[in-house]
């Protein structure tokens, strides 16, 4: 618990004594290493996951609410990604739960012969959403599924020459209007990596007990650490301010999501940029003990608790 000494206020009491039983569970398990049982026993029957499961379709998907502004996007697949994030990251559902198993099969039905998971970007390649699904599927108990390994093989083949990943259509100078095209645009591997895309891809590698130790993950983690607080090479998240706009479950690449993967893949890595990131987080702590920032996607009204939990996980790993 030495990592607490570098903070002005103790963040653990508001996490373990707060109103959210799921946050309390993970805080006790991950930060105090207390005995809490299994998520199946404690979390799966809470009102929020039960409500999510009730809205699941018979094919294992969730229906996207509201209008669908972009042609070529499979919005139900996108919504399924969102709901899987809640179920896996917040409530620890695994393939033992029938709703999770059904959702996994729906996701796998979108796997191409090449191995990527396609549809959210129409017929275009999407290393980020492919990896985003992989992260959740691995955490849900599918690390040795051959379909997961096929997707990792595809990610390996899609790396840029510098060792990171980018959105292929962006490396060809194309805009998102290309999502409506039937022809799949290949990547230009000579173009630079995107930290937005690389940060999401690395979350899948960090989740997998074997792939997180490989040379691809380690090289890309060094690249990502070197880009903290820098603008991206491509326009989708090109502002420095994007680093400090946060969501949970993680969606885009932000400061906490990047440090989360870096500290898993390369736990001993330190640099001026990682020190700056640690100090930024420490400096954004309230007297309550919780952390603050530009918080996005607060669907369940407890995002500051989840963000604070994620920040504590990172800071505890950074302290060794």
């Amino acid at each position: 618990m030495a990592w607490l000494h570098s903070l002005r206020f103790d963040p653990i009491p508001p996490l373990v004594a707060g109103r959210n039983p799921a946050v309390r569970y993970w805080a006790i398990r991950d930060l105090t290493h207390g005995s809490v049982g299994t998520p199946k026993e404690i979390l799966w029957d809470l009102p929020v996951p039960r409500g999510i499961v009730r809205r699941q379709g018979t094919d294992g998907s969730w229906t996207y609410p509201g209008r669908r502004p972009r042609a070529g996007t499979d919005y139900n697949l996108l919504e399924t990604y969102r709901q899987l994030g809640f179920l896996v990251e917040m409530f620890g559902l695994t393939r033992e739960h029938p709703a999770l198993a059904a959702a996994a099969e729906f996701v796998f039905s979108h796997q191409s012969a090449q191995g990527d998971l396609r549809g959210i970007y129409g017929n275009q390649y999407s290393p980020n959403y492919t990896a985003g699904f992989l992260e959740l599927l691995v955490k849900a108990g599918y690390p040795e599924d051959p379909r997961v390994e096929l997707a990792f093989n595809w990610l390996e083949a899609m790396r840029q020459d510098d060792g990171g990943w980018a959105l292929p259509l962006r490396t060809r100078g194309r805009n998102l209007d290309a999502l409506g095209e039937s022809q799949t645009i290949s990547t230009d591997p000579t173009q630079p990596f995107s930290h937005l895309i690389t940060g999401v891809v690395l979350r899948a590698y960090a989740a997998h007990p074997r792939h997180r130790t490989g040379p691809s993950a380690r090289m890309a983690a060094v690249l990502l650490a070197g880009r903290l607080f820098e603008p991206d090479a491509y326009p989708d998240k090109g502002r420095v301010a994007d680093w400090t706009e946060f969501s949970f479950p993680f969606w885009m690449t932000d400061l906490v999501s990047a440090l989360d993967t870096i500290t898993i893949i390369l736990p001993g890595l330190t640099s001026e940029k990682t020190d700056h990131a640690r100090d930024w987080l420490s400096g954004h702590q309230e007297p309550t003990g919780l952390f603050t920032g530009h918080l996005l996607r607060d669907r369940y009204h407890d995002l500051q608790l989840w963000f604070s939990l994620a920040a504590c996980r990172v800071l505890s790993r950074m302290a060794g």
Side-chain angles (χ1 to χ4, degrees), residues 55 61-70 73-83 86 251 297 299-300:
R55 296 193 298 273
S61 72
W62 280 266
T63 300
Y64 184 87
R67 68 186 188 92
R68 306 183 177 206
R70 181 178 292 140
T73 297
D74 186 333
Y75 280 93
N76 286 353
L77 184 60
L78 178 65
E79 186 64 18
T80 299
Y81 175 61
R82 189 191 318 276
Q83 300 302 332
F86 296 137
W251 194 280
R297 303 180 186 276
R299 177 164 291 194
Y300 293 116

Side-chain angles (χ1 to χ4, degrees), residues 13-33:
L15 295 176
V16 302
R19 63 185 178 275
N20 190 306
V23 172
R24 183 185 313 121
Y25 173 90
W26 298 113
I28 294 172
R29 195 199 74 165
D30 296 346
L31 304 180
T32 73
H33 308 291

Side-chain angles (χ1 to χ4, degrees), residues 230-287:
E230 299 290 341
D232 202 354
Y234 301 94
D236 299 296
K237 284 287 184 178
R239 305 174 303 148
V240 173
D242 292 324
W243 282 106
T244 53
E245 295 183 349
F246 304 101
S247 60
F248 192 91
F250 299 140
W251 194 280
M252 301 297 183
T253 298
D254 58 51
L255 203 60
V256 174
S257 75
L259 291 176
D260 188 72
T261 57
I262 291 166
T263 55
I264 292 172
I265 295 170
L266 291 173
L269 179 66
T270 59
S271 67
E272 182 178 345
K273 286 184 179 293
T274 59
D275 288 346
H276 181 198
R278 180 199 59 216
D279 294 343
W280 189 97
L281 284 175
S282 299
H284 283 75
Q285 191 184 27
E286 297 178 340

Side-chain angles (χ1 to χ4, degrees), residues 3 9 36 49 52 61 70 72-73 157-158 174 184 192 262 286 297 310 318:
W3 62 278
F9 311 102
V36 286
I52 293 173
S61 72
R70 181 178 292 140
T73 297
M158 289 296 292
R174 299 297 304 277
T184 307
I262 291 166
E286 297 178 340
R297 303 180 186 276
M318 295 184 80

Side-chain angles (χ1 to χ4, degrees), residues 156-238:
E156 287 288 302
M158 289 296 292
R159 294 168 68 208
Q160 299 301 106
D161 289 346
D162 56 20
W165 286 268
L167 193 60
L169 63 88
R170 285 299 196 192
T171 70
R172 299 291 183 178
R174 299 297 304 277
N175 295 321
L176 295 182
D177 57 6
L179 300 188
E181 296 183 7
S182 59
Q183 182 177 356
T184 307
I185 300 170
S186 62
T187 193
D188 178 355
T190 67
Q191 296 302 306
F193 80 99
S194 160
H195 70 241
L196 164 63
I197 304 300
T198 299
V200 179
V201 172
L202 277 180
R203 299 209 299 263
Y205 279 78
H208 198 284
R210 176 165 43 85
H211 285 291
R212 75 169 67 118
T213 64
S216 298
R218 296 173 67 86
M219 177 183 293
V222 172
L223 291 174
L224 182 60
R227 289 284 284 273
L228 299 174
F229 296 106
E230 299 290 341
D232 202 354
Y234 301 94
D236 299 296
K237 284 287 184 178

